[in-house]
Each structure stands twice: as C-alpha cells, then as structure tokens.
Amino acid sequence: MNGEIYMIAEIGQAHEGSLGLAHSYIDALASSGVNAIKFQVHIAEAESSIFEPFRTTFSYEDSSRMDYWKRMEFSNEEWIGLKAHCEMKKLDFIASPFSISAVGLIERIGVSTIKIGSGEMNNLLLLSAAAKVADRIILSSGMSSLCELDDAMAVLKNKCKTSLLQCTSSYPTGPHQWGLNVISVLKNRYSIPIGFSDHSGDIFASLAAAASGAEILEFHVTFDQRMFGPDSTSSINIDQVKQLVKGVRQIETALKFPVDKSNCSEYGTLKTLFGKSLAVNNNLEKGHILALPDLEAKKPAGYGIPPAHFETIVGRQLKHDLTKWSFLNFSDLL
C-alpha cells in the first residue's frame, strides 16, 4: 500500500466456474481504478464433504454444496494464467484459500498476498499454513469475537504483514449492520492497517468506511446483480466500482485537507462580491429619524454601512435628503 486506501474487487465465485468469464472480469476491472482483484481458491475434496449444506438456496445445477465447489475449481495452469492476466493489467492478484491444499496451490503459483475469509478465522491450522507462505495476510473479522481475533493474531504475530477488515457476515448487509465503529476499535486494539469488507450490494457502506478511517476496502463485484450465484445481490456492478473508486479518492483528498474555519481570509474578494451594504428603500428627507422599515441591504459590500450594524443606526437622524435605494453611510447621519 502507498498511503492510498487499498481497494480490492472480489470476484469470488462470480465467474461461475467459467475461465473465460473470470478473465472477462479482469478486463472489465482493469480500467476501474481498483488496486487488486481477489479470487477464491476452492479444492472441493479438501475443503468440503457431501454433508455440507447450502448457505442459501440458489443453484439449479448443483445437487450438493460440494458439487458447487467442484464447479468453481481451476487447474494450476489456469490459475497461473489468471494471475498473469492481472499482472499484465497492473492489478495485484489476491487469493483466498479454504483448505491447506489450496494454500499449497497458492504457494505454487506464487501469490504473495492471501486473504482469509470470515469463516476461516478460527481455522488456526489454515492460518498457520498461510503464514508460512504469504508475505501479507488480510483477515476478515465477520464471524469472530475480539477474543477469537486475538487468537488469530497470535498465530500470525511476527510471521508476516497482517491487516484486518471489519466485516459483518450478513448477505446483503444492511446499514444497521455495517459496524463502522469497529474500525477504530480494531485500530486501537491491534495497531495494524484496518479496513472494511463489504457485501451490502451498493457503494454507500464502502464510502462511509473510507470516511471512517478504513485503509483497505474489499467488495464483491458482478456484471449484474441479477446474475446467477450466491453473492450476486451482495455485490456491486462494474460501473458502480468506477463510481466507488472516484468517491473514495475524493474522500481521501478531503481528509488530507482539513478546513480551518477560524481563518476565512481567502474569501475576502468573494465576501465583498456577495456581501451587502445598508441602503434606504424610500426617498427620505433631511432630519428623518431612521426606523427599521426604512432599511434594505444591497450588494456589494463596502458601499455603505455593513448590515451587521443595522441596530446602531435605527433612531439616528439624517443630515441630508437621500433618494430611494441610496447606500447609507455614517457620514449621512447626525
């Protein structure tokens, strides 16, 4: 990371097991402004069994969750090609393993950054294996208490660079579940880069997290939220990714340039242009005692008494006649 919020577009299983579709996501995201693309690495027989239930009913073609994971698999050579494609497009390639076998595959294809999903945080066996392979590990906190996070951090301590993401494991995540307050809690507790993993299905949560101090943003992407798959409704589309990146970069700029409201000297010219001066709204004769209904405030400033001082001239007597809409100055008063 170079000081900017690091933005990770998670393809996850949105490729539906299609190598061509996986490459299409890389091409589509290459011009979006994200820093990295993240894939999930599934080796069905190592991570699952025929007893694993579906998290959500969505599949018309997979008789079991394990069959679904099989359909998500790519070969070593296919993963190498996907990683090379990311590198060609100047995108970091990040992988999430869900088994020790997947960690081995990640090591073979030369991935330096590993993301550990919320469901694997208590899998200390996997964490230990990943720590031996990765230069950097990013953890999602979605299903873990602070005590469980402490255990995970202890496994990784002094083994590799570590980052942690606030995450709520609800799909899609509502605003009452974002947990933006946890970002500062995690920063104070662990003193490492803290980010936000989003699956709300819109850009607002990530924008809010950016304004709340997140240093990393991860979000699911899809070509269209109506596409087949368990994460489609929790994802944002490619056009939204571009909008999100633009918004995050503007938030970063805003946070780098705090405004000092005690000093408005730079607005001197504008304050004169938009400011006003006191004037009279009727023809008034010499000796007239000024009352509030006699007064108006007209642009620009500097041609009459500032309107802020109107109370000081009410009850004063005119030295001479004033025509309607004339500016009023102290020299006009007795």
Side-chain angles (χ1 to χ4, degrees):
M1 293 186 290
N2 59 2
E4 286 188 338
I5 294 174
Y6 189 78
M7 302 186 70
I8 305 169
E10 177 172 358
I11 296 172
Q13 297 102 246
H15 53 73
E16 276 300 311
S18 164
L19 184 63
L21 190 54
H23 281 286
S24 294
Y25 273 108
I26 296 171
D27 285 329
L29 288 163
S31 62
S32 68
V34 299
N35 303 99
I37 285 180
K38 199 204 84 173
F39 286 95
Q40 296 181 9
V41 179
H42 295 283
I43 300 176
E45 291 185 347
E47 75 173 75
S48 184
S49 72
I50 60 172
F51 303 106
E52 182 189 4
F54 281 101
R55 170 170 59 83
T56 181
T57 303
F58 73 94
S59 181
Y60 299 102
E61 59 182 305
D62 305 301
S63 59
S64 70
R65 185 73 158 163
M66 187 174 179
D67 287 337
Y68 173 69
W69 296 132
K70 286 180 180 178
R71 193 160 58 81
M72 295 301 106
E73 293 180 4
F74 292 131
S75 68
N76 282 23
E77 292 72 23
E78 289 169 335
W79 280 120
I80 289 170
L82 288 167
K83 179 173 178 287
H85 191 178
C86 285
E87 291 169 348
M88 181 182 71
K89 295 294 185 178
K90 310 298 183 186
L91 293 165
D92 294 340
F93 181 93
I94 299 176
S96 285
F98 293 85
S99 63
I100 306 301
S101 295
V103 173
L105 187 155
I106 287 170
E107 181 179 23
R108 289 193 297 274
I109 65 175
V111 178
S112 60
T113 300
I114 289 178
K115 163 69 192 302
I116 302 297
S118 297
E120 302 296 326
M121 281 290 287
N122 290 331
N123 186 352
L124 301 187
L125 175 66
L126 179 68
L127 285 180
S128 181
K132 295 175 182 176
V133 170
D135 294 331
R136 177 182 171 207
I137 287 182
I138 303 172
L139 307 168
S140 262
S141 65
M143 299 183 189
S144 303
S145 66
L146 289 174
C147 290
E148 290 170 323
L149 292 177
D150 288 343
D151 292 339
M153 297 300 291
V155 171
L156 301 177
K157 189 175 182 180
N158 301 323
K159 294 184 174 68
C160 59
K161 296 177 183 176
T162 306
S163 303
L164 182 59
L165 308 182
Q166 158 55 11
C167 175
T168 301
S169 296
S170 178
Y171 302 82
T173 312
H176 62 292
Q177 300 171 306
W178 292 352
L180 298 175
N181 62 297
V182 181
I183 294 172
S184 60
V185 171
L186 297 178
K187 282 190 174 190
N188 292 332
R189 191 177 185 93
Y190 299 114
S191 300
I192 58 174
I194 301 298
F196 185 79
S197 180
D198 177 44
H199 25 78
S200 65
D202 216 321
I203 68 172
F204 306 121
S206 288
L207 290 173
S212 300
E215 299 163 77
I216 305 165
L217 294 175
E218 179 192 57
F219 39 88
H220 286 264
V221 299
T222 182
F223 280 115
D224 192 296
Q225 281 93 342
R226 293 166 292 188
M227 289 182 70
F228 181 83
D231 298 318
S232 293
T233 59
S234 305
S235 304
I236 61 175
N237 64 43
I238 304 299
D239 291 335
Q240 287 178 301
V241 172
K242 294 178 181 179
Q243 187 180 21
L244 173 59
V245 172
K246 181 180 178 180
V248 167
R249 298 308 176 212
Q250 290 191 10
I251 289 170
E252 283 181 308
T253 300
L255 293 175
K256 289 175 184 176
F257 293 91
V259 172
D260 181 6
K261 291 296 285 185
S262 65
N263 180 9
C264 295
S265 58
E266 65 179 292
Y267 299 115
T269 301
L270 281 178
K271 290 176 81 170
T272 297
L273 179 63
F274 290 103
K276 293 188 175 182
S277 303
L278 286 180
V280 294
N281 57 20
N282 279 297
N283 294 323
L284 301 178
E285 297 180 348
K286 176 182 177 181
H288 179 81
I289 304 299
L290 288 169
L292 193 60
D294 296 323
L295 303 178
E296 183 55 272
K298 293 173 45 174
K299 296 176 183 176
Y303 282 78
I305 298 168
H309 301 307
F310 77 94
E311 291 180 328
T312 67
I313 59 96
V314 171
R316 299 280 295 273
Q317 190 175 8
L318 289 179
K319 281 184 180 180
H320 49 77
D321 294 348
L322 284 178
T323 58
K324 186 177 182 179
W325 304 128
S326 296
F327 286 112
L328 182 64
N329 288 278
F330 285 113
S331 59
D332 301 317
L333 307 175
L334 291 173

